[in-house]
Amino acid sequence: MTEHDFIPPIYDANIDQGRITWESPSNIALVKYWGKKKDQIPENPSLSFTLNMCKTITTLSFIKKNDVDNAFSFDIYLDGALKEDFKPKIQTFFERIELYLPFLKLYHFKIETKNTFPHSSGIASSASGMSALALCLMSVEKQLLDADVIAGAVEESFDQEYFNQKASFLARLGSGSACRSIEGDLIVWGETKSIEGSTDLFGVKFPYPVHEDFKEYQDTILLVDKGEKQVSSTVGHNLMHNHPYAQNRFEQAHQNLESLKSILKTGDLEAFNALVESEALTLHAMMMTSMPYFILMKPNTLEIINRIWNFRQETGLNISFTLDAGANVHVLYPKRESQEILQFIKDELVGYCQNGHYICDQIGFGANQIQF
Ligand code: DP6
């Protein structure tokens, strides 16, 4: 497939107004996306667990403009409050996707969004937020095409597979990691030879057998620092240009995906723990060795990591961690070990979280349309 496959036929836009709601989850990468080319094309493949509890719920209302002009018209609300500061990001998103959604300038949109996790938690909301909006926009496109089919203006609408692919494709243009939030439970984004069907254009479901242990894997997110990110991910990705270790890092991501394929099949948790922790530390190593350089881990991040390592050594339990581009720690473990591990988290790790805050999540199955 190419980008051109996502340019729709010309439709009549025979619908005056409507309203649609989607909820879409966040995801946590095991193999990290860090570095991108033009048009949100990743420098390396990544793989993520789709989460179950951390979601964005977005309602998109649309009404046809009386006079069509050459501008996008939209308002965005978070928890009922108008958010002028969100507008530039949505404006950029609309500019990037206009070619693929030619109805965008015909309507005024009201975007009402809320998260099931606190906005100030330091959990990135761009993946769930952009994927929820992309899904809403795809539903508008589907309604327009369906109306045209009924009117006899076009022959056919599209199927669910195309809907998901295009939703992921659009979400990617909003935020790279968002393309991995449309479906569950394990998603690959970025072309790599060991994963059949993988593409730079959108996320695909991991197409190989997965051991039972990974079907309900647990992710307890320890909120070490709830402040705004010091470095936006876009700036961080750009620092991979001319980065002295970039090429080796990109190559390593391909190798790690290949290794994960057999780890996920056999359920080799020791190898899994080593691979995801190495990926997390490599991500942060890239940030520490870029120019300018930066450190996003906090003292409590390191304290938690050391305690996880000690506990694993002492008990032999399969606890490991991964990190986003921030100080928070995602503690990963199989469900069958959750009793002891959760007790350890409460006894020894929660004290290192800001205000003792943490979120218990587990692998989930992707986005849902909400009907009223
Ligand atoms: C560290 O998807 O937030 O979370 O494409 O610029 O919006 P943009 O970047 P974004 O980057 C996420 C990077 C990461 C790793 C990952 O999720 O793979």
Side-chain angles (χ1 to χ4, degrees), residues 13 35 102 109 122 157 178 184 194-195 204 207 223 231 263 301 316 323 332 353 362:
F109 297 97
S157 186
S194 61
I195 313 262
V204 299
L223 305 176
V231 184
I263 291 171
T301 312
L323 307 166
L332 303 175
C353 299
Q362 67 170 27

Side-chain angles (χ1 to χ4, degrees), residues 4-251:
H4 288 279
D5 295 306
F6 295 116
I7 300 175
I10 299 192
Y11 25 65
D12 288 340
N14 270 328
I15 297 178
D16 288 335
Q17 56 181 303
R19 191 167 184 262
I20 191 92
T21 300
W22 277 90
E23 60 169 30
S24 188
S26 188
N27 66 71
I28 178 70
L30 305 177
V31 175
K32 307 289 181 183
Y33 148 56
W34 198 243
K36 61 180 165 185
K37 304 178 206 162
K38 201 172 154 281
D39 298 332
Q40 297 281 104
I41 296 295
E43 289 276 13
N44 66 259
S46 57
L47 179 144
S48 56
F49 277 159
T50 308
L51 296 179
N52 212 10
M53 310 295 281
C54 294
K55 291 185 172 175
T56 297
I57 302 160
T58 296
T59 296
L60 181 72
S61 311
F62 54 102
I63 183 157
K64 213 174 213 170
K65 290 184 196 166
N66 289 330
D67 301 309
V68 176
D69 52 15
N70 200 26
F72 299 116
S73 174
F74 62 90
D75 292 312
I76 176 148
Y77 298 80
L78 174 68
D79 297 328
L82 192 61
K83 295 294 284 185
E84 287 296 334
D85 50 330
F86 283 13
K87 275 192 136 179
K89 202 162 182 188
I90 304 296
Q91 174 74 26
T92 307
F93 180 45
F94 278 12
E95 284 164 14
R96 287 185 190 156
I97 63 175
E98 189 193 2
L99 174 65
Y100 307 103
L101 296 176
F103 62 82
L104 283 181
K105 283 183 179 155
L106 304 181
Y107 291 92
H108 171 75
F109 297 97
K110 182 179 183 192
I111 306 163
E112 293 167 283
T113 189
K114 57 183 184 220
N115 298 319
T116 60
F117 50 91
H119 179 63
S120 59
S121 62
I123 297 180
S125 55
S126 67
S128 52
M130 283 299 178
S131 54
L133 182 55
L135 284 157
C136 289
L137 291 167
M138 278 308 293
S139 287
V140 177
E141 171 152 270
K142 175 112 180 85
Q143 287 180 19
L144 294 176
L145 268 176
D146 287 348
D148 273 6
V149 172
I150 291 167
V154 294
E155 270 177 23
E156 53 178 3
S157 186
F158 43 71
D159 60 14
Q160 191 60 43
E161 189 185 8
Y162 182 89
F163 183 98
N164 285 345
Q165 286 174 345
K166 184 164 173 182
S168 173
F169 171 85
L170 296 173
R172 186 197 98 228
L173 293 168
S175 177
S177 56
C179 79
R180 298 188 312 237
S181 274
I182 304 297
E183 296 179 272
D185 38 358
L186 277 143
I187 300 293
V188 181
W189 168 43
E191 190 176 346
T192 187
K193 65 176 185 308
S194 61
I195 313 262
E196 213 183 315
S198 57
T199 163
D200 289 346
L201 296 180
F202 48 85
V204 299
K205 278 171 99 104
F206 178 75
Y208 303 110
V210 173
H211 189 275
E212 279 303 309
D213 272 349
F214 293 116
K215 297 203 170 139
E216 287 184 304
Y217 224 69
Q218 307 291 299
D219 179 0
T220 300
I221 310 165
L222 303 178
L223 305 176
V224 171
D225 183 20
K226 301 197 249 167
E228 283 289 310
K229 278 198 219 170
Q230 294 162 24
V231 184
S232 84
S233 48
T234 296
V235 170
H237 287 290
N238 284 337
L239 291 175
M240 289 303 276
H241 297 139
N242 304 318
H243 188 294
Y245 307 128
Q247 286 316 317
N248 284 346
R249 159 59 198 154
F250 301 147
E251 185 46 40

Side-chain angles (χ1 to χ4, degrees), residues 262-291:
S262 58
I263 291 171
L264 291 172
K265 182 176 174 192
T266 58
D268 182 347
L269 293 184
E270 205 177 315
F272 177 82
N273 296 338
L275 192 147
V276 297
E277 290 185 353
S278 165
E279 273 288 324
L281 295 179
T282 301
L283 169 72
H284 283 253
M286 290 300 112
M287 302 179 199
M288 289 188 233
T289 50
S290 60
M291 192 56 83

